[in-house]
Amino acid sequence: MGDDVVVEADVFTDGHDAVVAELLWRKSSDKEWRVTPMRFLGNDHWIAQFRCEEMGRYEYTVRGWTDPFVTWQRDLAKRQAAGQDLSVDFLIGGALSCNPVLKDAAKPAEERYASAMALKPPPPDPVRVLQYERTLPVVVDPIRARFSTWYELFPRSVRGDGTHANFRDLIAFLPELETMGFDVLYLPPIHPIGMTERKGKNNALKAQETDVGSPWAIGGRDGGHKAIHRQLGSMEDFRALVAAARSHGIEIALDIAFQCSPDHPYVREHPEWFKARPDGTIQYAENPPKKYQDIYPFDFESKDWRGLWNELKSVFEFWIERGVTIFRVDNPHTKAFEFWQWCIGELKQKNPELIFLAEAFTRPRVMHKLAKLGFTQSYTYFTWRNTRSELAEYFTELSQDPSREYFRPNVWPNTPDILHEFLQHGGRPAFVVRAVLAATLAANYGMYGPPFELMEATPREPGSEEYLHSEKYEIRQWDRNRPDSLRPLISRLNGIRKDNPALQSDWSLRFHATDNDQLLCYSKQEGDNLILVCVNLDVRYPQAGHVDFDRAPGDAYEVEDLVAASRYTWHGRRNFVMLNPQQLPAHVFRVTRR
């Protein structure tokens, strides 16, 4: 919202007649087109733009025609400049425009020429107008779709003492989250959890009596996707949470996972919505060699697919009615593409403010397909990009490739499913590096806490990206006030993001050459706001080198380190930086002309 849509088109004809081109645009709900003249750039290429002031769907197209009047006016100017006799040309123009001055041979030529050039072209002859055969759509999303800061946590662990917390405890946590600078609080599924085949701690196949189960095994005796786990509270408590969060400038994002535990009411009431095995049992979820005996996937191509699709859409509608406008969707690439196109389109037609984050760590073309189908943001491969070349190549693609028009990245240094080896072995510097990269490379980023700020780094077993004592299967105790917590740094980074418009969008990102492969340097700019970030990717040793800062604003200028609160004067493009991972492995500079 507020962005300009820039439209370029090749518009030409045979011969030498003058061509006129116009951009037609409107809200999809409007009947009448708005018209903007296109500007000729040369070589039959034209450009115009329109601004999207409202959320929702817009549409646009282009039309062009050859115009006898414009052709005459153009040629008249050429003949006048060449000093030719214009008497016949004036008569031709008089016939085209019905202008009496042009027809009056008694008038001085200078007066007739001035009158001719002041004339506005008449409306085009509809017979001459050719309109592009396609009407192209534009989806206009809220500002938070472009710039957001997410924090994921398991609400049942928020007390920190090992007992099951509830929404009222989560409300008490909101001021702390606001202080940290997050504006989206993402909750894993909040529904009843099944008992059949419930997983134990560390994903054990057999659960103990006291094991709480995985929130993604949705459904039990208390209901399914439209119910709340009784230990989290009531629907009134949830509404209070949504309202309290908004009072702190925070939106609640819910996890939508379209799958069921064996105890979900859908399994009993609609067995036709699931795939049956030859022995008559329902097929549980698998991603060989992984098995998820506590989860049944839906069959999106079942005989009653219409009934299934309508019911799943109603799950979104249920939570929208209770104030939720942001959804993180679990594994959307394993569901029917046609379902998402239909479902998201229907929902956003009524609620254009909705945001859908695709949790799709899958093949690039599939991720891009989901974005084209309607997903607002997507997880990325950021977690697995750690060297200078990997990061520069990937984020250049995200910020400069034409796919940026529809694919918005949301980068996460960790998730409940992913503890990368960089964090497992890099200690505190690794967490600082990944926090700085996530917060400054992308306008949308998130983290799974408190494990991130408390630098939880122990895998379930060597070579695994799963956490030991994963919070997916048990309630954890977190000392959020631990003295070594990264909370002050994260709060500072989020404050820097809010104070600097350059960090609130992706398209201005530019990487800068260095003479040390362990140094990653890049900048973003919005108007006069210029941010330069220098990161030491080596978490063990200090690294130094020169950066070729080709966005330098002058021969001498000031750079202010917004994290360390220090200032330096730099000269020209080539400057020296040194970064110690044991102190602060990154600079976030604001560049000013002083």
Side-chain angles (χ1 to χ4, degrees):
M1 191 167 58
D3 284 346
D4 290 328
V5 176
V6 179
V7 181
E8 300 183 37
D10 296 328
V11 186
F12 55 91
T13 185
D14 51 54
H16 300 289
D17 288 347
V19 170
V20 178
E22 291 180 335
L23 169 65
L24 308 180
W25 59 280
R26 65 187 176 188
K27 285 290 295 290
S28 295
S29 56
D30 294 342
K31 293 183 178 180
E32 299 297 325
W33 288 105
R34 301 185 217 183
V35 179
T36 300
M38 300 193 78
R39 180 166 54 91
F40 182 63
L41 295 179
N43 195 25
D44 298 316
H45 199 65
W46 300 72
I47 189 170
Q49 63 189 47
F50 65 94
R51 178 159 295 179
C52 300
E53 300 285 5
E54 303 175 47
M55 287 183 289
R57 293 181 71 89
Y58 284 69
E59 56 188 18
Y60 68 95
T61 190
V62 167
R63 69 184 180 192
W65 63 92
T66 56
D67 194 308
F69 179 86
V70 175
T71 302
W72 164 79
Q73 205 173 43
R74 179 200 65 189
D75 292 345
L76 181 70
K78 291 180 179 179
R79 292 189 177 104
Q80 196 272 344
Q84 297 177 0
D85 178 20
L86 304 179
S87 55
V88 175
D89 297 277
F90 289 145
L91 295 177
I92 295 172
L96 289 170
S97 66
C98 300
N99 185 286
V101 175
L102 295 179
K103 297 178 181 179
D104 189 352
K107 296 285 187 183
E110 294 80 4
E111 181 179 345
R112 297 170 80 185
Y113 178 77
S115 179
M117 301 311 293
L119 292 173
K120 299 297 182 184
D125 181 351
V127 175
R128 291 181 173 273
V129 177
L130 179 67
Q131 185 164 312
Y132 184 52
E133 62 270 18
R134 295 177 60 196
T135 298
L136 302 169
V138 174
V139 178
V140 181
D141 289 316
I143 299 297
R144 206 183 294 262
R146 172 175 52 81
F147 175 57
S148 59
T149 311
W150 294 52
Y151 188 89
E152 176 182 4
L153 91 167
F154 286 76
R156 65 189 183 189
S157 296
V158 77
R159 279 182 187 161
D161 61 2
T163 62
H164 202 296
N166 56 42
F167 289 143
R168 296 293 173 176
D169 298 312
L170 194 52
I171 290 173
F173 170 70
L174 291 173
E176 182 178 328
L177 195 64
E178 181 184 19
T179 300
M180 291 178 70
F182 290 94
D183 53 32
V184 178
L185 173 57
Y186 155 48
L187 307 180
I190 59 174
H191 316 298
I193 299 173
M195 294 296 299
T196 301
E197 299 293 344
R198 174 175 285 192
K199 296 295 185 70
K201 295 177 180 178
N202 290 309
N203 201 24
L205 290 178
K206 297 297 181 181
Q208 302 299 312
E209 185 176 347
T210 57
D211 286 339
V212 292
S214 166
W216 283 272
I218 297 170
R221 62 180 182 178
D222 293 331
H225 286 75
K226 299 175 185 177
I228 291 175
H229 194 292
R230 63 170 59 188
Q231 288 182 278
L232 290 176
S234 65
M235 197 62 71
E236 290 72 22
D237 294 330
F238 180 77
R239 288 183 182 272
L241 170 64
V242 172
R246 286 192 176 145
S247 72
H248 290 281
I250 299 168
E251 291 290 329
I252 297 296
L254 286 189
D255 189 296
I256 297 295
F258 282 146
Q259 57 201 32
C260 299
S261 93
D263 304 324
H264 197 295
Y266 288 157
V267 177
R268 181 178 65 257
E269 298 166 3
H270 294 281
E272 70 277 10
W273 289 353
F274 306 88
K275 285 185 178 180
R277 296 188 292 188
D279 61 0
T281 60
I282 293 177
Q283 175 65 56
Y284 56 75
E286 286 189 87
N287 184 15
K290 295 182 179 179
K291 296 184 178 182
Y292 305 93
Q293 296 91 338
D294 57 339
I295 292 174
Y296 289 165
F298 288 112
D299 180 5
F300 280 78
E301 298 177 357
S302 71
K303 291 182 179 179
D304 185 31
W305 64 268
R306 287 185 178 88
L308 171 63
W309 288 24
N310 281 313
E311 176 61 22
L312 297 183
K313 180 167 77 77
S314 77
V315 171
F316 285 108
E317 293 168 336
F318 180 88
W319 295 107
I320 291 169
E321 290 173 1
R322 283 148 186 82
V324 180
T325 59
I326 303 178
F327 298 95
R328 179 267 199 188
V329 180
D330 188 74
N331 286 326
H333 56 292
T334 63
K335 285 75 178 174
F337 287 161
E338 292 83 357
F339 168 75
W340 292 122
Q341 186 171 26
W342 167 78
C343 182
I344 294 176
E346 291 278 311
L347 294 171
K348 294 203 72 168
Q349 187 171 359
K350 295 180 180 179
N351 305 96
E353 73 278 8
L354 297 180
I355 291 174
F356 297 88
L357 170 61
E359 187 256 358
F361 296 112
T362 182
R363 304 181 305 280
R365 288 180 175 83
V366 176
M367 295 169 71
H368 283 220
K369 178 68 174 179
L370 291 167
K372 291 182 177 181
L373 293 174
F375 279 91
T376 322
Q377 301 174 358
S378 176
Y379 282 67
T380 67
Y381 305 129
F382 167 70
T383 311
W384 300 278
R385 301 294 185 267
N386 292 276
T387 67
R388 185 174 85 164
S389 59
E390 290 172 342
L391 288 162
E393 179 182 3
Y394 188 47
F395 279 88
T396 297
E397 173 192 330
L398 292 175
S399 62
Q400 307 303 321
D401 188 82
S403 62
R404 72 183 190 176
E405 295 282 355
Y406 60 86
F407 186 86
R408 289 197 196 96
N410 191 325
V411 306
W412 293 66
N414 74 325
T415 76
D417 299 302
I418 304 169
L419 173 63
H420 192 272
E421 62 179 355
F422 188 84
L423 298 179
Q424 294 178 24
H425 305 299
R428 183 185 185 89
F431 283 84
V432 174
V433 163
R434 298 305 285 181
V436 172
L437 291 173
T440 57
L441 278 171
N444 294 302
Y445 96 102
M447 64 177 58
Y448 159 50
F452 189 85
E453 64 261 33
L454 297 180
M455 297 164 287
E456 185 88 353
T458 306
R460 191 176 65 195
E461 64 266 336
S464 170
E465 289 186 340
E466 289 277 351
Y467 284 88
L468 181 64
H469 304 305
S470 171
E471 204 171 359
K472 292 188 294 183
Y473 308 105
E474 60 182 285
I475 297 172
R476 292 291 304 270
Q477 294 180 260
W478 302 113
D479 181 6
R480 297 197 302 270
N481 295 315
R482 221 170 65 192
D484 66 338
S485 170
L486 293 178
R487 184 168 61 182
L489 171 68
I490 293 167
S491 304
R492 184 67 186 130
L493 288 172
N494 289 339
I496 292 169
R497 283 164 52 85
K498 290 183 178 180
D499 292 342
N500 292 275
L503 297 176
Q504 296 172 17
S505 61
D506 292 326
W507 291 6
S508 69
L509 178 66
R510 183 186 300 172
F511 289 91
H512 304 287
T514 70
D515 53 11
N516 184 337
D517 282 344
Q518 294 296 336
L519 295 179
L520 181 71
C521 296
Y522 52 92
S523 65
K524 286 184 171 183
Q525 185 166 13
E526 179 67 31
D528 293 333
N529 186 229
L530 175 58
I531 298 295
L532 171 66
V533 182
C534 301
V535 183
N536 178 6
L537 302 175
D538 184 349
V539 297
R540 296 172 299 170
Y541 302 111
Q543 296 288 345
H546 293 87
V547 54
D548 182 8
F549 183 38
D550 57 4
R551 271 181 166 163
D555 293 334
Y557 50 96
E558 185 177 85
V559 293
E560 176 189 3
D561 190 331
L562 300 175
V563 177
S566 55
R567 298 175 185 268
Y568 310 91
T569 299
W570 278 15
H571 298 274
R573 290 177 49 161
R574 187 172 172 83
N575 287 274
F576 182 78
V577 292
M578 176 179 287
L579 290 161
N580 187 338
Q582 306 308 321
Q583 297 173 0
L584 188 64
H587 293 302
V588 181
F589 291 125
R590 181 161 52 204
V591 183
T592 56
R593 294 176 181 270
R594 290 179 182 168

